[in-house]
Each structure stands twice: as C-alpha cells, then as structure tokens.
Amino acid sequence: GSTGLFTGAVATATGPAVTDGKLQILHSNIITAVYQDASPAAQRLFTAQADLLPPVIANVAVTNRFGKAQVQWTTDEPATDRLLYGKTTALGSAVTNSVLVTNHLAVADGQVSGQTNYYRIICADEAGNLATNNTGISTPYVVPFVPPILVVDGYYADLIDPPPPIANYTDALTSLGMNHDVWSIKDFGSPTAKDLKSYRVVIWRIAEYSSAFPTGLTFPQQSATRDYLDSGGSLFMASMELVSRVGPTSAFVRDTLHVSDFTEDVSTTSVEGVPGDIIGDGINADLDYSDYAYFGFLELNYSDNITPGTGAEGFLTDFDTGEFVGLRYPALGVDSPDRVVFLSIPFDSLPTTERTTLMKRSLKFLAPGLKGQGSVAFARSAYAVPSEATVEVADSDLEGAGQISININSDSQTNNVPLALQETTRRGVFRGSFNLVTNLTGGAITELRAAPGNFVRAKYFDATNYDTSVGQQLVATVQVDNTPPGIMNIAVDRGYVDATVTWDTTELADSKVEFGESTLFGRTAFDSAQTEVHNLALTQLSPEQKYYYRIVATDRAGNVTTSTTNSFTTLTPIRPNWTDNMEHGDTNWTIYTVEESERGWELGGPGAVQPAAHSPTNCWGSNLTGDYASQIESYLISPAILLTNGNTLKLSFWHNFDFTTPSENDIYHGGELLLIPGDAVNPISLAVWSDQVSTGWEKMDVDLTAYAGRVVYLAWHYFLFSLDAAPRQGWLVDDVSVIASNTPTGTVIVSNNLWQSSFTLNGTPHSGRMFVITNAFTGTNIVTFNAVPFYNTPSAQTNILTTGATNLFLGSYTFTDANTNGISDAWELARFGVVSPTRTKTTDTDHDGMSDYAEFIAGTDPNGGALTPFTLTAQLSGTNLLLGWPTQPGWSYRVLQSMGLPALSPLSSWMVAGGMSTNLMVPLTGSARMFQIEATNSTGLTNGLSLTLTPQSATALRFGWNAWSNRAYRLWSSTNLLNWAPTTAWLPGSNNVLLAVPANSSANLYKLEVAP
C-alpha cells in the first residue's frame, strides 16, 4: 500500500550454509539485516542474536504468603512463565505471566495448608525456547502452613504523623514467639474475608484520626471482619475512637464488638484489670499517649468507657471511673463461633510489660491451645456452697476429641475427682459442670465437697505444650465465698426528673437499685460490672414525687445482700406563670463558664460603657462591665420550670447584644438560646444569633407549647473567640418570664389501618395507626396520607375544628387482589413477576416456615431463604437468671414463662426497646421453667398499662401510668363492673401521665384504655 512500511520473512535452520532459501545459524550468532536507504543515501544495519537454548530454571521454592501458596524461582535469562498446579497430577489450574523477568513469583490460589499438591513450571525466553522444571511428571509439594496471626495495619493518611510504629504490636508477638504476617492496607489494599479466613487470629490496628477512613473502618472492611468471625475467626481490636466514629448503634459495634453502650471521650489515663479474670487479673498501669501526638506536641486522648453487650464480659476498667475499657466475647460458659477482644484505649498506650502480658492472655483466649498452650479456667472467680461450678478447657491439640476428662479437688476433699468435659461448638474448647456441696449426696451430677474459705482446683494435664517440649499440669483455682457483701455509705443526689444513688460495698459486687412510687417498687436500674464503688442513675422520674428504693448487691460468688428500704423526694420545679426582673438576686439561677473563658455571666448593674438594664437596675450580662476580652464561653441557666397550667406556654425576655466581628482576627461571636430537658440530655436549640447587633433592648418571644408537661431549663449560651482583645458589649438579658394560658381547643384523631403508614397533619409528619391531640387549636386541619408500597393511598382530607369538637380523619389503605389470597397483586408482581392463581395464604415459596402472606404482612423477602433465628440467651448472675435477646428500637417485647409446655403465661409486661438488645433479670425459683420471647412492631405498647392510684387530697385521687407518646389514653370508672363510663376524654401519651380525679363517697373501680 502507500504506508511506506515493508515486511518480509526468512526461515532459519542449523547446519552448513547452502543455497536453499534458508538462513543457517548457530547459537549466539549475530544475524544482520542490511538496508540501502536512497534518501538520504546510507547503508543501515539491523541486528538480532540467534538463541537456540531454553532458559535454565533454578532456586525453586514454595512459601505461604497471606494464606496463599507462592512458588518462586529464577531463570538465567529473561523469560515469561506459566505455573500449572492442582491437587492431583492432572493439575487443572494455571497462572500466567507474560512479562520477561529473571525472578519469578506465582500464586497458587485455593491451596490448603498441610496438604500435598502438584505443580509444573513452564518458561519461554524471548526467542520462544521453552523450558520446564520436570519432564512429564508434576512436582509434588506440601503447602506450607500460614502463620496463625495476621496483623492488619490500617494506620495511614492520619493526622498523627508519623503514625505510632507497628512494632508496638509486632514486638509483643515476637517476644512471645508468635509467627505472624503483617498486611499493610496502604500497600496491599483492604483484605477480604477470604484473606482473613486463613488465620486463626486477626489483629487489626485502626487509624484513629484518618482522612482516608473517617469512620475508622469502611463498610466493606466491617463486612469482611464480620464474615471472618462468622466462619469461626478471632479478632483483637483496640481503638479510642472507633465506637464513636462507626456509631454506637451500628450493627458492627453492637454485634461484632459486642458493645451495648458507651461514654464518649472519657480520656482514660490509667487502667486496672478485673481480679481473677483470665485476661485482666493483676494488670494495673498508667497509660502513655505520647505516640498519639498531633503535630508532634499535642497528645490526643479521646478514649471511651464501654458497656459490654449480652454474652460479653469486661476485663479491664478505667481506674478513675470504674467503667470498662476492655471486653472479651464470649463470656466463659457462652457458646459462639467467634471470639473477640476489644479495647477502647490504644493498645500501645499500655507500658511494654503490661502490653505483652495482655497480648499473651488475649491470644490464649482468642486461639485456645495456640502453640500447644492449653488453658483451664472457671466460669466465675468465686463460688458459694451450695452452687454449680463450670470449668472450661481449651486446647487446639484436642480438636475433634469430643470429650476429655480433668480432675477437681478442694481443701475439704483433697482426692482428685474425675470430671468429664464435652467439646463445645468451637472445636478444641471443652466445658463441664459440677456441684459444690457441704455433704455428698450421690446425685447424677458430679459433686465435690467444699466449705466457705476453701480453695477449689481444676487440674488439666497438657500433654503437648510446645513451650516446654514436655507435658505440663495446668491448674485453675477459685475460692469458696459464702459471705454476702456489706452495703454502706448510701447517698442520693436528687434531681427534678432523675436521681443518682451512690453506695459502697465491702467487696466486688454488681449494682442494682429497685425503686418505685410505693414499697412494691416495680422498676429496676442495673449494672453488671463488679466494683466496690457504685453509682446508678434513676431516670424518667416525676418532679416533687416521693420514691422508695432499696439496693441489691450480688458478689462474684452469687451471695446477695439487700439494703433496707429508703426513700427520697424529687425536687420541686417552678411553675408558670413565672417572672424574674433580676432585682431579687440569682436564686436558682446557675452559671457555667468554661475553664479557658476570660469572663462569664454576671448579675448586676451594667458598667458605664454598657447600656443600662431594661428595668430598672439589674440584668444578666456575659461581660457586664464591657471589659477587654478575646475568649468567652459561658452559660446562663434558668431555674427548673415545669411547663404546666395551660395548653399554651410562652417564654419572653428582653435582650441587648452586639455579636459583630469588627476585627479581621475575630473568629466567631454569637449567642444561642437552648432548652435543656430536666435530665440534661439532648439540649434543643431554640434560636441562634451571630455577626449582628440589636437595636437597643429587644423583646424575644418563644413558643414553648411543644414542650408542655416537661421539666426544662432555659439556657443563654454566649461564645466569643478572637485573636484580638477588645472591649465587648456581649449579651445582656433582663425581665424573663414564662406565661401559661388556655386557648380554646378541640380533639383531632387521625387513624388508619397500616402500621407502616405515615401522614402529615398541617405539614407536620407523623407515623403509626393512631394519632390523637386532645388540645388541638381550633381552625382548619389538613391530613395528607403518604404512599405505602403495594397499597392504594387514601385521599387527603380537610376538616374545620371548633371549640370542644372532634375532627376524625380515617384513612383506609387498600390493594388490588385479583386472586383473593389476601396479598397485594402489586407485591406479587414485584416479588415473583406474576400474580399466580395457585398462590394461597399458605403458600411458602422459599420454604422458610413463613408463608408468602405472612411475609407480605411483615414486609420481609419471600425469596430470601431461612430467616435469621431470633435467639434468647440465659446466664446465671448470682441468685438470678439474666435473660438477653436482640431487639429493634421502637418494637415491643415481653417474656413468657412455662412450668410445663404448652401452657405459657406472661412473666413481664410489654417493654418498648430503646436499643439493639434487652436484658431482664429473673429471680431463680428452684423449679424448672421454660422461657419464650414475644415481639411485636405495634410501636407504643405500654408497660402492661399499669395503673397506680394515690390520694392527692381529701377530695381527689391521683392516677398515674407509664405511656408512649404516639398513643392516646382515657380513664373509665364503674361502681359494679358491669356498667362502665369514660371518666376522661382521650389524653395524649407521654413518658409518665399523672391525672387528678374528684373522689366521691361511693366505691369506684377504674380501668385504663389505650388507643391502638
């Protein structure tokens, strides 16, 4: 063609040169091509070398890297390579490299450590000469074992630069003689679940302040970790920021780390191990955060306190707070395929000695029998007599044995008594129980005599301890303790809607307070952590209400002490109408000023450079004298106010402010009005001002009606930050009032037939089947129902409400059902692609025991296979049984019990879940019982609709009940149980409802009704 490119070929041959159209060559000959270029005129030479010898393969070796077999070799010249491999001589798998190299590496994926496999290497040099490592016979090899531990280093792209050295982890492993791999996420990317599953233990180091990983772990990393643990893996993880960054309610924190709750940024400075714990015993150390220095000088310490979830146990505590900073899962005696050790402090903040000790014990727990190091432990650190003791032995050398035998004895019965232990669901872990008794009874269960003060021993002979190369006798020891803990120094710090009870015990014990409005109590606050200094918050109390309480302390051996019944009365708040012109002192007002602040709120007459008070002399001022200032942060907090005495509540106050930033070095200048609930949790911002100035004294009105019935504080938060000091007017506040009034109202009821429905009432979103407002303002009300998938949406409705009347909005969601099976045709089309005439209410497409109709009602996937089981766990806790189960926030649960199936009766009232798990403490009765959990998504079930009655005065009764905010309630009365009449109209629900009813001379019966 016209390209100017010309090609041709000549055949090569060996032997003497002859005229045969072929080019005769010998190995290493130089082949020359000559071209006579006409323009510019020149002779051009091109050369190549004759290569008749194949590459020589040498130095073949097989290693294991990150759980994968790697074949390595060299060639004496650059060559491509192809590795054929498989579990038989037929091979079957291949990996190819087309780049010419002399150092070769091929990964034989999918090989199993310790098994014989086969491979063949084929290499080709640039000339195409082929070489193999054998001739026709595949080379057998045993896949090397992967090290038992993988250290995943995720510390990069972090504000801490340079990052803490990974040697803080690996040095501890090396000193323990533990072989390990290090996976750098920066170099290799994130490991998958398949990568992790090659290792018995994964130690994952988190980047605390990483820009690359703002949550500490990406969702794929969390998923890979969860899959690895579900397959029987073990995880060690330590981080001071992970729980708060991933999210305390996330499934990873709740289900993988087994943290049920936490206190953020406590800044733990020293730690103490739980006495007798298999990991924590004897650890006592000050922490060093010098490796976590921002810009090399500002040490960052945001360590959290954590609460172990169901089935987990804390082993390390914050020395100052007594709360946990380390947990292990599962607790001894609890079966689980996975094992986890989690620290809410940096692992390398521990001193070297404690760090190594904690790592050694953690590995012993996470990988029982690692390096042949067996272990034996009791499930508790002390026992009473009589009681049941549980022993656990872990030794990987005995995996699959099914059953082993150990010896037990005590100071009262010194001869060895054989005890059989059964292998648990985690291979290599064996568990058994025996009864501690004062006198042998010859029962079916193994017995051991013991007395208070005795030591009880469990002895296991580890025949293959690799550290000692000989067998070793392992002994676990616990003491018999029949002395209950003493309770002393009881004190109550009262609030308006809460109280804190503190006390001390003479030994380690859990914390439990039973309390209520009568000596029957009815409510419980509980913390399972064993401590000698106790602190429990009692929440959701009513103001100026007398409460009775008692303390129940259970020690490690299960001995129980109950205090006498005491009482306290919550504080009395101010009620509207309330005004304060600031001329009568600062009674009940509170000032909180941060430590670095140069000024703070003061009451008095403003200085000469400041505006005069609104009336007549005094006011509050954030910088009352107008002094020079550059940094101020201060809160002015009102007395506690119970928003009652009307259905309309209004806050009014006068203020005069200058929040401008005239200097270029002014960073921020502003104020915020806050509403703080009586329990001081989750303040609400009502208004914000910044970079502006008032036109003298201005009146501010704020509607507080939405918070009616609550005890609240009002707070004026002033903030100034500048690099320049200058005279500042700041914020002046005067003449504060909260006024209640009664506006004509009626009742609005919105009802529909679907739990998953939602609607807007006058632009405000709501959800659920029933919504009632008994004090709705008169006027036009508009309800718009929102679409629910697979249903027909009801039309919007409009009504005009007059004084004392009721507006009823009824929304009925319907669906098309051509095959009359009770299932929406639209749902069937979406799930199955067809509306089948043979699908009935009982059809179960995925055979998971739940019909398609049931899955339609529940909103689950009818093609999804077996459902995740809803599990109930039970643990002994002293003389009680601790029941635990996973929950969904907003759903309601109750516990049923039976002395003999099928008869079941409620053990508890309905409990509305506030978190991802729920516990219930049940006293042991000595008789066998069975328990069952019942769940409903009928959001808003009350706690059994428990109605209480107390005299309010000589002519009035006071009723109370716990209620849910999106339900409505009304009281009925009867004199004969036959004829009932409503005593009240429908009332809106709140956390606690109190109602006064006139008393009469005849006996009345009362009942409470709740709207569905």
Side-chain angles (χ1 to χ4, degrees):
S2 58
T3 62
L5 300 177
F6 301 85
T7 61
V10 61
T12 58
T14 57
V18 295
T19 305
D20 57 3
K22 299 178 181 179
L23 180 65
Q24 280 74 27
I25 59 174
L26 296 176
H27 179 66
S28 76
N29 279 177
I30 300 300
I31 303 172
T32 304
V34 182
Y35 168 60
Q36 186 63 47
D37 193 349
S39 176
Q43 189 181 68
R44 306 193 184 279
L45 304 180
F46 304 89
T47 63
Q49 188 168 21
D51 182 358
L52 306 186
L53 298 180
V56 177
I57 298 173
N59 304 317
V60 180
V62 180
T63 61
N64 200 322
R65 178 66 168 162
F66 297 136
K68 299 175 182 177
Q70 295 185 347
V71 183
Q72 298 172 285
W73 70 94
T74 62
T75 52
D76 64 340
E77 61 175 316
T80 61
D81 59 62
R82 182 174 175 82
L83 177 72
L84 306 175
Y85 65 94
K87 297 179 180 179
T88 67
T89 55
L91 305 178
S93 299
V95 57
T96 300
N97 168 45
S98 59
V99 180
L100 295 164
V101 294
T102 56
N103 293 305
H104 303 262
L105 173 66
V107 176
D109 200 3
Q111 307 289 275
V112 179
S113 299
Q115 292 187 1
T116 299
N117 286 257
Y118 300 86
Y119 71 89
R120 183 182 303 163
I121 296 169
I122 301 173
C123 290
D125 62 16
E126 188 177 10
N129 301 297
L130 296 177
T132 182
N133 65 317
N134 53 41
T135 55
I137 301 175
S138 299
T139 302
Y141 71 101
V142 177
V143 181
F145 283 93
V146 67
I149 300 167
L150 176 66
V151 179
V152 179
D153 185 9
Y155 220 115
Y156 76 95
D158 196 273
L159 295 178
I160 308 298
D161 191 19
I166 190 63
N168 290 345
Y169 282 77
T170 57
D171 284 355
L173 296 173
T174 301
S175 68
L176 295 171
M178 297 293 183
N179 294 330
H180 57 275
D181 285 338
V182 177
W183 182 299
S184 169
I185 293 180
K186 181 180 181 182
D187 296 332
F188 307 129
S190 293
T192 64
K194 183 179 179 181
D195 297 321
L196 301 178
K197 288 176 182 178
S198 301
Y199 298 87
R200 290 195 65 190
V201 179
V202 170
I203 300 172
W204 197 306
R205 186 169 82 135
I206 305 297
E208 297 288 0
Y209 309 100
S210 175
S211 57
F213 305 106
T215 60
L217 284 173
T218 65
F219 184 78
Q221 290 170 348
Q222 296 175 34
S223 179
T225 304
R226 183 66 260 169
D227 289 347
Y228 162 69
L229 290 172
D230 286 343
S231 69
S234 296
L235 176 69
F236 180 97
M237 191 170 280
S239 169
M240 59 175 147
E241 280 285 271
L242 182 61
V243 172
S244 56
R245 289 164 61 199
V246 172
T249 61
S250 74
F252 184 80
V253 170
R254 182 188 72 244
D255 300 330
T256 302
L257 299 183
H258 301 283
V259 174
S260 64
D261 199 4
F262 83 115
T263 304
E264 187 173 1
D265 297 347
V266 177
S267 301
T268 302
T269 57
S270 57
V271 294
E272 184 176 34
V274 172
D277 185 81
I278 58 175
I279 298 179
D281 186 44
I283 292 179
N284 196 317
D286 294 329
L287 304 185
D288 179 5
Y289 290 86
S290 57
D291 277 336
Y292 295 85
Y294 185 46
F295 291 126
F297 66 90
L298 178 61
E299 290 186 12
L300 300 178
N301 169 13
Y302 297 110
S303 295
D304 301 330
N305 284 179
I306 55 177
T307 301
T310 302
E313 282 187 339
F315 67 83
L316 196 65
T317 63
D318 183 315
F319 184 82
D320 293 325
T321 66
E323 300 297 320
F324 289 116
V325 294
L327 65 80
R328 54 180 170 81
Y329 175 87
L332 290 178
V334 176
D335 287 327
S336 175
D338 62 316
R339 293 201 165 198
V340 175
V341 170
F342 175 66
L343 303 178
S344 60
I345 59 172
F347 172 66
D348 40 12
S349 65
L350 287 162
T352 302
T353 301
E354 283 77 7
R355 190 187 313 164
T356 304
T357 299
L358 190 145
M359 178 62 75
K360 179 179 181 179
R361 295 176 180 177
S362 295
L363 291 175
K364 211 168 186 179
F365 169 76
L366 292 169
L370 189 63
K371 288 192 67 181
Q373 296 176 339
S375 65
V376 57
F378 283 95
R380 296 216 308 254
S381 57
Y383 289 94
V385 173
S387 66
E388 182 181 70
T390 299
V391 184
E392 193 169 279
V393 166
D395 194 336
S396 61
D397 297 328
L398 302 178
E399 286 187 8
Q403 176 178 305
I404 64 172
S405 180
I406 66 170
N407 291 319
I408 55 175
N409 66 27
S410 72
D411 293 344
S412 294
Q413 187 173 353
T414 56
N415 61 295
N416 289 331
V417 177
L419 176 66
L421 307 186
Q422 305 299 320
E423 192 163 16
T424 65
T425 55
R426 188 177 180 94
R427 290 165 59 87
V429 177
F430 302 82
R431 185 180 306 129
S433 299
F434 62 95
N435 286 337
L436 285 168
V437 296
T438 53
N439 294 294
L440 300 177
T441 64
I445 299 177
T446 301
E447 295 178 330
L448 183 71
R449 283 192 299 109
N454 277 182
F455 286 96
V456 177
R457 288 164 287 273
K459 299 189 290 185
Y460 163 64
F461 184 75
D462 184 1
T464 54
N465 188 289
Y466 297 155
D467 275 356
T468 61
S469 300
V470 295
Q472 183 181 16
Q473 181 85 307
L474 304 177
V475 181
T477 304
V478 293
Q479 190 169 24
V480 176
D481 175 12
N482 272 45
T483 304
I487 300 174
M488 53 195 175
N489 303 328
I490 300 174
V492 179
D493 182 12
R494 301 174 301 149
Y496 294 93
V497 293
D498 56 9
T500 300
V501 183
T502 60
W503 70 97
D504 299 329
T505 50
T506 54
E507 61 176 311
L508 295 173
D510 61 17
S511 304
K512 182 178 179 180
V513 176
E514 297 175 340
F515 66 100
E517 296 183 8
S518 73
T519 54
L520 297 177
F521 307 117
R523 297 175 63 187
T524 299
F526 179 71
D527 186 348
S528 62
Q530 297 278 322
T531 181
E532 294 179 359
V533 180
H534 304 262
N535 181 314
L536 274 183
L538 312 184
T539 60
Q540 296 185 353
L541 307 182
S542 299
E544 56 185 321
Q545 172 68 46
K546 186 174 183 177
Y547 287 91
Y548 297 87
Y549 73 97
R550 68 182 180 188
I551 295 166
V552 181
T554 305
D555 66 14
R556 294 172 294 166
N559 301 300
V560 180
T561 300
T562 301
S563 73
T564 58
T565 298
N566 299 298
S567 66
F568 65 88
T569 302
T570 48
L571 300 179
T572 301
I574 291 171
R575 286 176 165 78
N577 293 334
W578 168 74
T579 61
D580 192 338
N581 63 3
M582 313 309 172
E583 303 302 319
H584 306 288
D586 59 0
T587 303
N588 294 326
W589 287 82
T590 303
I591 305 300
Y592 172 71
T593 302
V594 301
E595 187 175 349
E596 299 81 6
S597 184
E598 299 163 354
R599 305 284 299 180
W601 286 97
E602 297 176 275
L603 178 63
V609 298
Q610 295 282 67
H614 180 256
S615 71
T617 304
N618 295 329
C619 66
W620 285 103
S622 63
N623 185 10
L624 198 59
T625 56
D627 290 347
Y628 279 76
S630 61
Q631 296 184 51
I632 301 177
E633 184 172 11
S634 186
Y635 294 78
L636 169 64
I637 305 172
S638 75
I641 306 168
L642 175 58
L643 298 178
T644 186
N645 294 337
N647 61 8
T648 303
L649 295 126
K650 182 176 69 173
L651 162 69
S652 297
F653 64 93
W654 289 82
H655 64 159
N656 194 329
F657 59 83
D658 185 351
F659 297 141
T660 57
T661 53
S663 169
E664 63 180 11
N665 291 321
D666 289 346
I667 309 301
Y668 185 82
H669 194 187
E672 180 181 24
L673 175 65
L674 297 168
L675 182 141
I676 304 175
D679 57 7
V681 177
N682 300 324
I684 300 164
S685 180
L686 299 176
V688 177
W689 301 266
S690 65
D691 295 326
Q692 61 191 101
V693 60
S694 65
T695 56
W697 283 95
E698 297 179 352
K699 187 180 182 184
M700 182 73 183
D701 292 322
V702 181
D703 186 6
L704 301 180
T705 304
Y707 311 102
R710 300 171 65 177
V711 174
V712 301
Y713 301 88
L714 300 166
W716 288 260
H717 174 207
Y718 175 72
F719 185 86
L720 164 69
F721 183 68
S722 174
L723 300 180
D724 284 339
R728 310 282 182 172
Q729 174 185 324
W731 202 358
L732 302 175
V733 173
D734 203 353
D735 296 327
V736 178
S737 65
V738 176
I739 304 300
S741 59
N742 284 291
T743 303
T745 63
T747 299
V748 172
I749 301 175
V750 183
S751 179
N752 60 76
N753 61 329
L754 282 183
W755 284 110
Q756 61 265 46
S757 65
S758 61
F759 58 89
T760 59
L761 171 60
N762 299 329
T764 302
H766 300 279
S767 60
R769 291 181 61 180
M770 172 72 74
F771 181 76
V772 180
I773 306 177
T774 58
N775 61 344
F777 296 136
T778 57
T780 301
N781 292 301
I782 302 174
V783 171
T784 303
F785 294 95
N786 299 324
V788 175
F790 315 116
Y791 287 86
N792 303 317
T793 306
S795 301
Q797 301 175 29
T798 302
N799 283 318
I800 298 176
L801 181 66
T802 59
T803 301
T806 297
N807 276 177
L808 178 61
F809 297 86
L810 296 176
S812 180
Y813 287 84
T814 62
F815 55 80
T816 303
D817 185 13
N819 53 3
T820 65
N821 59 2
I823 305 173
S824 165
D825 292 349
W827 188 84
E828 290 188 65
L829 284 171
R831 296 292 183 260
F832 308 113
V834 64
V835 179
S836 172
T838 62
R839 181 171 290 106
T840 69
K841 273 193 174 184
T842 60
T843 303
D844 184 1
T845 299
D846 56 7
H847 306 292
D848 64 353
M850 193 174 183
S851 69
D852 295 347
Y853 170 78
E855 301 221 41
F856 165 61
I857 297 299
T860 54
D861 186 354
N863 302 301
L867 298 174
T868 302
F870 180 58
T871 56
L872 173 65
T873 62
Q875 286 182 269
L876 284 174
S877 179
T879 58
N880 296 308
L881 192 66
L882 182 64
L883 302 177
W885 61 93
T887 57
Q888 181 71 22
W891 281 49
S892 298
Y893 302 83
R894 68 174 174 179
V895 181
L896 307 175
Q897 68 173 348
S898 173
M899 300 300 178
L901 292 174
L904 285 162
S905 59
L907 175 65
S908 75
S909 57
W910 284 102
M911 297 172 284
V912 180
M916 298 300 181
S917 63
T918 296
N919 294 314
L920 180 69
M921 192 70 71
V922 179
L924 295 175
T925 62
S927 58
R929 283 182 292 173
M930 305 187 78
F931 298 94
Q932 176 178 317
I933 298 298
E934 191 172 22
T936 177
N937 65 348
S938 303
T939 306
L941 285 170
T942 64
N943 295 331
L945 291 181
S946 176
L947 185 63
T948 62
L949 171 62
T950 55
Q952 185 179 38
S953 67
T955 59
L957 302 174
R958 176 175 173 150
F959 290 92
W961 62 90
N962 293 328
W964 196 247
S965 58
N966 64 348
R967 292 299 186 90
Y969 302 83
R970 65 177 173 179
L971 195 67
W972 293 68
S973 64
S974 171
T975 57
N976 56 14
L977 268 181
L978 298 176
N979 301 310
W980 289 89
T983 303
T984 67
W986 285 103
L987 305 173
S990 62
N991 286 337
N992 295 282
V993 177
L994 296 172
L995 177 69
V997 175
N1000 54 45
S1001 58
S1002 59
N1004 272 16
L1005 292 148
Y1006 294 90
K1007 70 178 181 180
L1008 187 64
E1009 183 181 18
V1010 56

